[in-house]
Amino acid sequence: MSVARVTEIIASSPTSFDDATEKGIARASETLKNVQGAWVKDMKVTVDGGKISEYRVGLMVTFVLDD
């Protein structure tokens, strides 16, 4: 029997939502063992001078706990 846990992280990128998601998963995988999946809870942008300056994603990351 496996037991999983979900943790929430926020990641950002100056390029895109996809890039922010990739960076968030990569960073979470450095710290958490057995990352199995994630879902994007929300997406936001910051605006500077009428242009998007940063893309942000809130991710719910699922990982399986060691026995």
Side-chain angles (χ1 to χ4, degrees):
M1 178 176 105
S2 296
V3 176
R5 182 173 171 104
V6 177
T7 190
E8 185 172 7
I9 65 169
I10 298 170
S12 64
S13 167
T15 309
S16 68
F17 289 120
D18 287 342
D19 190 49
T21 303
E22 293 270 351
K23 287 181 179 182
I25 295 299
R27 179 60 182 89
S29 295
E30 290 177 14
T31 304
L32 304 172
K33 293 181 185 178
N34 304 319
V35 172
Q36 298 293 309
W39 70 90
V40 178
K41 182 178 175 184
D42 56 45
M43 300 188 310
K44 301 176 185 176
V45 295
T46 57
V47 178
D48 186 24
K51 293 188 177 187
I52 295 173
S53 58
E54 187 174 55
Y55 298 84
R56 294 181 184 168
V57 292
L59 299 169
M60 302 299 288
V61 179
T62 305
F63 59 101
V64 177
L65 301 175
D66 289 336
D67 290 331

